[in-house]
Amino acid sequence: MSNARSARLSRRGLLATGGALGLGAALAACGDGDSDAKSDGAGSGASAASGPWTFKDDRGQTVKADKAPAAIVAFIGVAAALYDYGIQAKGVFGPTTTKDGKADVQAGDMDVSKVTVLGNEWGQFNIEKYASLAPDVLISTMFDDAGTLWYVPDESKKKIEAVGAPSVGISVYDRQLTEPLQRMLALAESLGADITSSKVTDAKKRFEEAAARLRAAAKAKPDIKVMAGSASQDLFYVSGSDLSIDLEYFKALGVNFVEPPEQAKAQGGGWYESLSWENVDKYDADIIMMDNRTSAIQPADITKATWKKLPAVKAGQVISRNPEPILSYDKCVALLDALAEAIENAKKVS
């Protein structure tokens, strides 16, 4: 089995478990690197949309066109991030709506009734619908170093490519949150977003302030242990921080995470350790961050007695976490603030 395929399977397991989401590079200062991010785009605002378009993605591939793409098809999380920058996707794939027809958490603020959904679950991608959109570009994230586009089915890859639209991949693997945030901003700029608008600059400022708040909270309470978990019917998953863009960044800001040993994470592709519910108390934790994606069982619905006996659960120190952050500064502010507030208010219970 190829490395790319095995990585795909590991991420498929993670989809069900919510273990982590990719990275572990050197800490970038909050909001730094804008000039570098701009260099890969094609300019800002209307000028980007009216002239020739070029963008170098995180596979090192440069995509060029006579003008900026208008018919954009993207993984739902990418579409949600671009939407925050004023760029509307035409089609999406990945978890877009819940069973009751409401917007999935990964859709952000998008009106999901205004996009064509090509597939709502893993392995679903309607190629006929895709072709009917006459797409100018296909955009997704990547969770490995082999350039595998997230939620683009391997078995349909050639047929999807045959439609003719170029693809763009934004890496969320082996780096910290600030880097893919900068890259998504650069992509949005190249597609015509005005990144000098007050909406964007204010969001970046709030992100920097939230990061400073989290750093201060972690410094004030260094003994508070945080565990990132996800629940399924049979297993509880504990994420390590070394491959997750959010956790690795939070760790660099000083957050004290529960870290399963590498050997324990081996079956989870290095992302997470699988525990039986009988062993859910293996690690001491004062705060538990729980996967809020629809693929995971939510804390209010966990009936296991061993879960209810955990000190953090009994103390009400369980918060939400999206292991696939929407990569806009606006959406990531809430992630930082929620963890900062939890640490500020946490009691030592482990």
Side-chain angles (χ1 to χ4, degrees):
M1 180 181 294
S2 69
N3 290 335
R5 180 61 176 162
S6 58
R8 186 80 170 193
L9 290 174
S10 295
R11 287 299 302 161
R12 183 173 186 175
L14 186 58
L15 171 68
T17 68
L21 287 185
L23 346 127
L27 174 61
C30 302
D32 285 352
D34 290 345
S35 59
D36 291 337
K38 292 177 185 177
S39 67
D40 284 338
S44 62
S47 62
S50 61
W53 180 72
T54 180
F55 187 82
K56 185 177 181 181
D57 76 358
D58 292 338
R59 299 170 296 185
Q61 298 181 11
T62 300
V63 182
K64 298 180 180 180
D66 293 336
K67 59 181 180 179
I72 298 168
V73 174
F75 172 67
I76 183 61
V78 171
L82 292 176
Y83 180 84
D84 284 353
Y85 292 124
I87 305 298
Q88 176 68 58
K90 191 173 183 180
V92 298
F93 53 95
T96 304
T97 58
T98 58
K99 292 180 179 180
D100 58 5
K102 296 180 180 179
D104 189 274
V105 65
Q106 296 193 62
D109 293 334
M110 291 180 61
D111 182 346
V112 296
S113 69
K114 294 184 178 180
V115 292
T116 297
V117 181
L118 306 179
N120 201 56
E121 298 178 4
W122 182 268
Q124 294 181 350
F125 194 108
N126 191 313
I127 299 173
E128 290 184 0
K129 280 187 178 181
Y130 176 60
S132 72
L133 296 175
D136 295 323
V137 68
L138 173 70
I139 310 172
S140 191
T141 46
M142 302 182 298
F143 288 94
D144 59 30
D145 55 6
T148 306
L149 296 178
W150 188 226
Y151 262 84
V152 175
D154 289 340
E155 60 272 18
S156 306
K157 182 180 176 181
K158 290 184 179 180
K159 291 182 179 180
I160 293 169
E161 290 175 345
V163 172
S167 64
V168 169
I170 299 296
S171 181
V172 286
Y173 177 78
D174 196 26
R175 62 209 67 202
Q176 291 174 15
L177 178 62
T178 45
E179 185 173 343
L181 272 173
Q182 292 160 8
R183 295 292 290 138
M184 191 64 70
L185 183 67
L187 176 59
E189 180 187 17
S190 80
L191 294 170
D194 180 7
I195 69 168
T196 64
S197 70
S198 59
K199 180 181 179 181
V200 174
T201 57
D202 287 350
K204 290 183 68 177
K205 182 180 179 181
R206 287 187 290 111
F207 179 88
E208 293 165 2
E209 291 171 346
R213 178 186 179 185
L214 179 55
R215 187 191 297 275
K219 184 176 181 180
K221 292 187 174 181
D223 59 335
I224 293 297
K225 293 282 288 185
V226 179
M227 179 167 67
S230 183
S232 71
Q233 187 61 39
D234 299 319
L235 295 170
F236 182 81
Y237 305 89
V238 180
S239 296
S241 67
D242 53 341
L243 291 179
S244 297
I245 56 174
D246 60 333
L247 302 185
E248 184 64 24
Y249 181 55
F250 299 160
K251 182 174 68 174
L253 291 174
V255 176
N256 184 8
F257 280 107
V258 169
E259 296 283 3
E262 291 301 318
Q263 185 176 1
K265 295 185 294 181
Q267 288 187 334
W271 297 88
Y272 57 86
E273 178 181 2
S274 304
L275 298 176
S276 67
W277 283 103
E278 289 75 15
N279 295 316
V280 73
D281 60 353
K282 178 177 179 179
Y283 298 106
D284 293 330
D286 302 296
I287 296 171
I288 303 177
M289 304 175 69
M290 288 295 289
D291 184 354
N292 71 350
R293 294 174 299 174
T294 51
S295 56
I297 298 176
Q298 297 307 300
D301 299 319
I302 299 175
T303 59
K304 306 292 185 180
T306 49
W307 163 260
K308 295 180 179 180
K309 291 179 181 179
L310 293 177
V313 176
K314 292 172 69 175
Q317 295 179 172
V318 178
I319 64 172
S320 178
R321 173 196 174 218
N322 185 351
E324 296 188 56
I326 294 173
L327 295 172
S328 72
Y329 286 97
D330 178 71
K331 291 297 178 292
C332 288
V333 169
L335 308 182
L336 292 159
D337 276 340
L339 182 54
E341 181 178 5
I343 294 174
E344 288 165 355
N345 297 329
K347 298 178 180 178
K348 184 67 179 174
V349 295
S350 64

